[in-house]
Amino acid sequence: MNIIITIVVTALAVLYAGLFKAKKALLPLTLLGLLISLTFAVTSWNSDTVYYGMMQMDNFALAFSSLTILGTIFIFLLTQNYFSKNGENIAEYYTLILFALSGIIIMVSYTNMSMLFIGIEIMSVALYILAGIRKNNFASNEASLKYFLMGAFSTGFLLFGITLVYGATGSFSLHAINQYLIGNYQAVSPLFYPGVILIMVGLCFKIGAAPFHFWTPDVYEGAPSLITAFMSTVVKTAGFAAFLRLFAGTFAPLHDFWMPPLMAIVCITLFIGNVTALFQKNFKRMLAYSSISHAGYLLFSLITLTASSANNVMVYAAAYTFASIIAFAVLILVKQKTGHDNFESFNGLGKRNPLVALALTIAMLSLAGIPLTAGFIGKYLMFLNVMHDYQIYLVAFAILNALVGFYYYLRVIVAMYFKEGAEIALETPVQYKVVLILSVIITVFLGVYPTVILNLI
Amino acid sequence: MEQLLILLIFLPVVGALVTAFSGNAAKNVALAFAVASLALTAVLAGQFIPDASTQFAVNLPWIQDLGISFHAGIDGISLITVLLTNVLVPIIILASYQHNYKSPAGFFALILFMQAGLLVVFTAMDAFLFYIGWEAALIPIYFICAIWGGKDRIKVNMKFFVYTIAGSLFMLLGIIYLYLQNPAHNFDIQAFYQLHLDPVQQGWIFWSFFIAFAIKMPIFPFHTWQPDTYTEAPAAGTMLLSGIMLKMGIYGVIRWLLPIVPAGVQNWGNTAIVLSIIGIVYASLIAFKQKDAKRLVAYSSIAHVGLISAGIFALNIQGLQGAMIQMLSHGINVIGLFFVLDIIFSRVKTNTIAELGGVAKSAPKLAIAFLIIVLGTVALPGTNGFVGEFMLLIGIYQYNIWAVVFAGLTVIFGAVYMFRMYQNIMLGKTNELTVGFADIKGSEQVVLFIICALIIVLGVYPKPILHLSEASVQQLLEQVNQKLTSVK
């Protein structure tokens, strides 16, 4: 609870600091607040506190809180010179991101359906504004509108599903619902089944799984890159945590019922994400489609429920988050210098910017899942997870998709190292260097010695 | 003792890091590290007791929760491949001295990184570690070929990369399957040897591994990446690929495929032999028609590897021992061939056979060295190629007489296209291109001398090498036969 309070207080403090034009204090203040909340998250490890049956700060929640807070800190470090170019209202950006984060903390720790809804709404409303924060930019406005319409739509599904589940069980509490399922395993109310499916659809919208993904590419492309980075890493992680809490925990007894449709979603997501990413000419759009395919891999953890399902998602999400942050950081740097974000603008980057190019290479290798990077461990755990049920065809299908993935992730490496280009030298601020180096260290460390986070949850 | 192996594996890693920051002195630094590795290998080979046991074993916990440990060791089979790697890498580095590659630090660092990956593959006693080494060797060679290669390098290497990684991902699937079957839930090779899978399962595992190895070697019909990649790669890249990297596939078959899924090998080995022999004939015929010498050697390599693979799947001591010594010989010979072609290319900027001729007149030393290497390649008695090919053919003969008839074609065909290439390049009339051809000197002389010396020494007295691996190969065969009878 103190995590959420800290974040919200920080958000308000930043808003006030903005009111008094204390521009220089905004970033330090934000980072301080986030560091404090991160400390709270780490120190309350193993405490497992329940708040009035509404939220539970168990290790699952704390691990995902820490990951999302850390990701947010990295993204804030990248705000150097970024927002100030986009207008005057910097304090609002900061505040909105922090509010979204507070919603995310609720999403990873809810034990009651109403809290799930509240968390998603707090996060989403902030994100609708953030996507459209460039008031005079057409694409940004388009992104915001699309995100809002689709988001509202999906919330409708979610609410309808929650209602049906409530109708069947008479409770919003995850514990009570779970008990109901165990107790009435043979005679689950017919209301319950459509409820589960509708909730699944609503959550699939949020995590951008196909066929509910149509908003993702446009929103990711149109929103400011830093917001896209936030959406595709921190927000996505939160979405999965929420998904997992509900389906791997509460709805686990009905696994046989909801697994087949989920399996179909996984296959479609992998296929659409990878194949469309292949044809993108724009790096940012490619990342958007690749994030869809990663949603597919992440859902593997729900196909076969094992004791380590949650932890596998944690590992994969961590790998994906830090690699994506590198990718977006470099994207921002390149776009600032060249004005474009297509693959051609990366041509010849390796010659003049060894650090940036190396970081991006490692990030791409990690996203593609090459051994000795965190991404490989993540993919490996996912494959291992479904292999427990001997879903060999699914893994073979995923492997074919991973192959397609290699192809498009290598394209940017090919551009940076193998193609001749303008040999621009990027201006890399210190914060960017810090973020790049730290993310690379985390990516490689988790790839070489993942033991530290394998038994976290 | 166990520190020795850790040192052996990590010395190239340290070397690579140092080389990466050594600027223009990179080639000397890299050579120093490669020679140090070679010296260490010599020490190791000196202490090696040629019995069937796994020596210098290291078994450190790594990712315990997943049953993964850093388990490596050296038996006779590993030792041959480790020798191969650590003898050839310094030669390859020295052979690159004549080039002025752009950003040499990166180039030589990547070679050493690759060496580390190869050593992991050849010593791993843990399937996961094996897989890590397998991929870790691929990434550096991909960059070497794609950064420093010819003009079609990007497209060609993308094909190479996707091809090989496709194979290895299916191998990973097989490894995970074995891991789940293993009651101890680890990746230890001994535990994998103990598994009793039914023949159908073994068949699936066989293919998941075999495709990865077949792509690497390459065996027909998985070879289509190879000629282009060899041709477009920089000389050092071609040498690494053909001299050492393809041995990963052969080693994989011997170490992982035969003992783990013997029933799979028994059921599908015929198919593998047939594919290998088709590859021999097919690649030889194509080699006849090649206009470019580098492509010719690339195709000849497919033919030679086909013979090795057929010998292995014949599953007898001659075939396997022949494969062991031929791995070493083929590595040395093919590196020699590519090096000579690289020397020629660097002088006259072409490897097209028809444009060359009469080089021997102005470069007698090169002519002699080239001749020795060609003789080794066509397996003339007294050269290293003879020992291996002879044993392989005996092995295949015991398997099936028709197989050996077709497999034996490789020797005849090889002699024809190799000598024809030699004749057209070195002999005949000098033309305006080759008239002022400068003979070999400096580092080129050293490299060719070492290669020729190895060809002759191994040809005349192969016994020490054969002796190193004999006990291990024997044990492996016993293990396979024992497991086969126990299934029945």
Side-chain angles (χ1 to χ4, degrees):
Chain A
M1 190 56 82
N2 40 22
I3 305 172
I4 298 177
I5 294 173
T6 316
I7 292 172
V8 174
V9 169
T10 312
L12 293 174
V14 168
L15 204 56
Y16 273 101
L19 201 62
F20 296 109
K21 307 277 177 212
K23 267 190 191 171
K24 289 234 184 301
L26 292 179
L27 188 60
L29 194 62
T30 315
L31 290 177
L32 183 72
L34 286 174
L35 283 174
I36 293 173
S37 55
L38 183 63
T39 319
F40 280 136
V42 174
T43 50
S44 42
W45 192 252
N46 279 336
S47 61
D48 202 359
T49 334
V50 183
Y51 296 99
Y52 305 105
M54 300 302 259
M55 284 166 61
Q56 184 178 12
M57 279 296 167
D58 49 8
N59 282 353
F60 175 92
L62 290 170
F64 278 100
S65 302
S66 308
L67 178 61
T68 47
I69 294 171
L70 195 62
T72 315
I73 291 177
F74 276 34
I75 283 166
F76 269 113
L77 282 171
L78 299 179
T79 52
Q80 168 80 2
N81 300 336
Y82 186 76
F83 283 136
S84 49
K85 282 183 188 156
N86 295 333
E88 289 296 300
N89 315 324
I90 312 169
E92 280 86 337
Y93 296 94
Y94 286 28
T95 310
L96 284 169
I97 294 180
L98 287 170
F99 278 142
L101 185 63
S102 68
I104 283 167
I105 306 291
I106 298 173
M107 280 169 72
V108 303
S109 59
Y110 69 95
T111 51
N112 189 300
M113 290 287 202
S114 57
M115 289 309 281
L116 169 66
F117 177 69
I118 290 171
I120 286 184
E121 282 307 284
I122 293 179
M123 179 193 80
S124 298
V125 171
L127 285 176
Y128 301 147
I129 309 171
L130 282 168
I133 200 106
R134 285 183 173 161
K135 279 178 287 192
N136 301 321
N137 182 316
F138 180 75
S140 184
N141 278 303
E142 183 195 348
S144 181
L145 186 65
K146 275 192 178 158
Y147 195 27
F148 173 68
L149 288 177
M150 292 307 250
F153 201 50
S154 71
T155 311
F157 277 103
L158 184 69
L159 269 182
F160 196 19
I162 292 175
T163 318
L164 288 174
V165 168
Y166 180 82
T169 63
S171 174
F172 285 134
S173 154
L174 297 194
H175 181 72
I177 295 171
N178 187 248
Q179 287 304 314
Y180 166 83
L181 282 178
I182 295 167
N184 302 294
Y185 185 69
Q186 299 298 334
V188 177
S189 157
L191 285 179
F192 200 92
Y193 296 104
V196 170
I197 294 294
L198 286 169
I199 292 176
M200 186 194 282
V201 169
L203 286 174
C204 281
F205 262 112
K206 291 292 172 195
I207 59 172
F212 315 106
H213 67 287
F214 290 100
W215 58 274
T216 344
D218 290 340
V219 172
Y220 279 19
E221 194 186 0
S225 294
L226 209 58
I227 302 304
T228 310
F230 183 70
M231 285 199 287
S232 76
T233 58
V234 177
V235 172
K236 200 151 200 141
T237 307
F240 271 97
F243 212 129
L244 211 61
R245 231 180 150 76
L246 201 56
F247 281 80
T250 313
F251 294 160
L254 279 189
H255 184 246
D256 289 342
F257 164 71
W258 53 257
M259 196 275 272
L262 191 71
M263 177 94 108
I265 290 176
V266 169
C267 292
I268 299 170
T269 305
L270 281 178
F271 185 74
I272 289 184
N274 276 306
V275 173
T276 32
L278 197 57
F279 295 104
Q280 301 308 315
K281 293 190 171 63
N282 179 300
F283 184 60
K284 199 170 164 187
R285 229 176 144 80
M286 183 278 275
L287 285 176
Y289 278 107
S290 94
S291 90
I292 297 175
S293 77
H294 284 290
Y297 292 116
L298 277 159
L299 284 175
F300 269 41
S301 58
L302 287 168
I303 298 282
T304 307
L305 291 180
T306 61
S308 49
S309 282
N311 208 66
N312 294 346
V313 170
M314 172 76 197
V315 175
Y316 199 105
Y320 171 70
T321 300
F322 293 110
S324 296
I325 285 177
I326 296 176
F328 279 104
V330 178
L331 173 74
I332 291 170
L333 290 175
V334 169
K335 189 159 185 194
Q336 276 176 355
K337 197 72 188 177
T338 64
H340 299 287
D341 47 15
N342 43 19
F343 282 109
E344 280 78 34
S345 26
F346 288 81
N347 283 0
L349 203 68
K351 289 206 183 82
R352 298 286 300 275
N353 314 281
L355 172 76
V356 173
L358 182 70
L360 188 56
T361 304
I362 290 176
M364 288 298 127
L365 293 180
S366 181
L367 288 175
I370 296 279
L372 300 181
T373 60
F376 170 70
I377 299 292
K379 273 213 179 67
Y380 175 75
L381 290 174
M382 289 302 168
F383 289 174
L384 185 66
N385 194 58
V386 290
M387 280 289 279
H388 278 295
D389 268 3
Y390 295 107
Q391 309 262 13
I392 294 178
Y393 295 107
L394 179 62
V395 180
F397 181 70
I399 283 178
L400 291 177
N401 278 288
L403 276 176
V404 178
F406 283 118
Y407 190 81
Y408 59 78
Y409 286 124
L410 283 183
R411 272 176 69 178
V412 63
I413 298 179
V414 166
M416 282 194 302
Y417 285 110
F418 311 155
K419 289 198 171 150
E420 304 295 323
E423 301 204 4
I424 39 153
L426 300 174
E427 290 157 20
T428 320
V430 186
Q431 283 98 321
Y432 273 73
K433 281 185 182 151
V434 170
V435 169
L436 289 178
I437 291 173
L438 281 179
S439 302
V440 165
I441 290 174
I442 294 173
T443 302
V444 174
F445 180 75
L446 292 184
V448 175
Y449 196 69
T451 310
V452 280
I453 56 164
L454 279 180
N455 270 332
L456 217 52
I457 299 172
Chain B
M1 288 292 257
E2 63 175 35
Q3 291 85 346
L4 213 53
L5 186 56
I6 295 182
L7 195 61
L8 186 78
I9 291 173
F10 286 99
L11 188 65
V13 180
V14 177
L17 293 175
V18 175
T19 308
F21 294 101
S22 58
N24 287 328
K27 58 181 178 185
N28 295 324
V29 177
L31 185 65
F33 273 99
V35 170
S37 293
L38 179 60
L40 199 62
T41 318
V43 173
L44 209 111
Q47 293 186 8
F48 183 81
I49 307 152
D51 60 13
S53 62
T54 304
Q55 295 161 42
F56 313 100
V58 192
N59 196 349
L60 304 171
W62 183 15
I63 312 174
Q64 280 165 305
D65 300 312
L66 300 176
I68 299 163
S69 50
F70 192 93
H71 185 189
I74 290 187
D75 66 353
I77 299 167
S78 298
L79 186 62
I80 302 268
T81 48
V82 168
L83 267 174
L84 171 86
T85 311
N86 285 352
V87 169
L88 293 189
V89 166
I91 295 180
I92 291 169
I93 292 175
L94 196 60
S96 311
Y97 262 48
Q98 54 168 332
H99 289 279
N100 280 321
Y101 290 117
K102 55 178 185 182
S103 37
F107 183 79
F108 289 103
L110 285 170
I111 293 184
L112 291 178
F113 263 126
M114 186 179 172
Q115 187 185 12
L118 290 163
L119 290 172
V120 168
V121 168
F122 293 142
T123 58
M125 295 289 150
D126 180 284
F128 196 87
L129 184 64
F130 174 76
Y131 181 77
I132 298 274
W134 185 271
E135 299 290 33
L138 172 66
I139 303 294
I141 190 71
Y142 168 69
F143 278 95
I144 290 175
C145 294
I147 296 181
W148 289 278
K151 66 175 192 303
D152 254 353
R153 60 187 196 279
I154 295 176
K155 213 174 81 196
V156 164
N157 280 298
M158 188 60 97
K159 184 175 171 189
F160 161 59
F161 188 86
V162 173
Y163 231 116
T164 39
I165 210 122
S168 52
L169 280 175
F170 282 102
M171 177 170 81
L172 180 65
L173 187 59
I175 292 177
I176 297 178
Y177 187 85
L178 290 173
Y179 162 82
L180 291 171
Q181 292 293 316
N182 177 7
H185 275 309
N186 60 34
F187 290 89
D188 192 76
I189 192 165
Q190 292 302 333
F192 280 10
Y193 285 170
Q194 306 301 327
L195 291 177
H196 287 284
L197 307 171
D198 64 57
V200 179
Q201 284 174 316
Q202 294 204 17
W204 285 105
I205 301 287
F206 174 86
W207 282 103
S208 78
F209 277 77
F210 179 70
I211 289 179
F213 299 149
I215 290 172
K216 213 75 163 190
M217 286 196 242
I219 288 179
F220 177 87
F222 306 103
H223 65 283
T224 54
W225 61 270
Q226 189 251 33
D228 289 337
T229 310
Y230 280 20
T231 318
E232 290 298 324
T238 317
M239 294 182 200
L240 285 167
L241 282 167
S242 59
I244 317 178
M245 196 162 187
L246 69 83
K247 274 70 183 186
M248 282 165 59
I250 300 171
Y251 174 85
V253 171
I254 298 176
R255 169 73 68 209
W256 297 93
L257 201 57
L258 302 185
I260 294 177
V261 287
V265 173
Q266 201 177 35
N267 291 341
W268 293 103
N270 296 337
T271 316
I273 291 187
V274 169
L275 288 179
S276 307
I277 290 175
I278 293 177
I280 293 174
V281 178
Y282 170 82
S284 301
L285 291 177
I286 295 184
F288 273 122
K289 304 293 278 177
Q290 291 309 311
K291 297 189 175 72
D292 184 284
K294 215 174 169 184
R295 279 188 94 83
L296 187 149
V297 176
Y299 277 107
S300 88
S301 180
I302 300 180
H304 283 111
V305 173
L307 184 66
I308 300 181
S309 144
I312 293 172
F313 283 106
L315 271 186
N316 52 45
I317 183 86
Q318 286 85 357
L320 278 168
Q321 276 287 69
M324 295 310 302
I325 184 113
Q326 185 63 4
M327 271 206 263
L328 203 56
S329 305
H330 176 264
I332 295 164
N333 298 344
V334 82
I335 281 186
L337 286 174
F338 279 123
F339 184 53
V340 169
L341 294 179
D342 184 43
I343 291 175
I344 293 172
F345 189 84
S346 63
R347 314 251 150 118
V348 297
K349 301 292 170 238
T350 178
N351 270 336
T352 311
I353 299 172
E355 291 175 14
L356 297 161
V359 174
K361 284 202 186 88
S362 37
K365 285 189 217 159
L366 179 67
I368 294 170
F370 194 11
L371 184 63
I372 295 175
I373 297 167
V374 166
L375 291 177
T377 313
V378 304
L380 187 85
T383 62
N384 61 352
F386 175 71
V387 187
E389 294 212 343
F390 188 66
M391 294 180 74
L392 285 166
L393 289 173
I394 295 178
I396 301 170
Y397 174 75
Q398 292 177 4
Y399 167 77
N400 182 315
I401 185 139
W402 285 107
V404 83
V405 168
F406 283 102
L409 288 174
T410 170
V411 182
I412 304 164
F413 284 163
V416 177
Y417 59 71
M418 277 292 162
F419 281 129
R420 202 164 65 177
M421 175 183 81
Y422 184 80
Q423 193 182 353
N424 289 337
I425 292 178
M426 302 307 284
L427 310 175
K429 282 203 180 106
T430 345
N431 56 26
E432 63 267 28
L433 253 182
T434 55
V435 70
F437 199 93
D439 207 350
I440 49 172
K441 54 183 185 301
S443 64
E444 298 168 347
Q445 258 178 353
V446 178
V447 171
L448 286 176
F449 178 77
I450 298 172
I451 290 174
C452 292
L454 286 171
I455 289 174
I456 293 168
V457 170
L458 284 177
V460 176
Y461 193 56
K463 196 143 185 276
I465 299 291
L466 289 169
H467 186 55
L468 281 180
S469 60
E470 191 164 9
S472 298
V473 169
Q474 194 85 48
Q475 191 201 31
L476 186 117
L477 271 175
E478 276 162 23
Q479 211 167 16
V480 170
N481 289 329
Q482 201 183 0
K483 225 173 143 178
L484 278 177
T485 45
S486 78
V487 169
K488 283 165 195 160

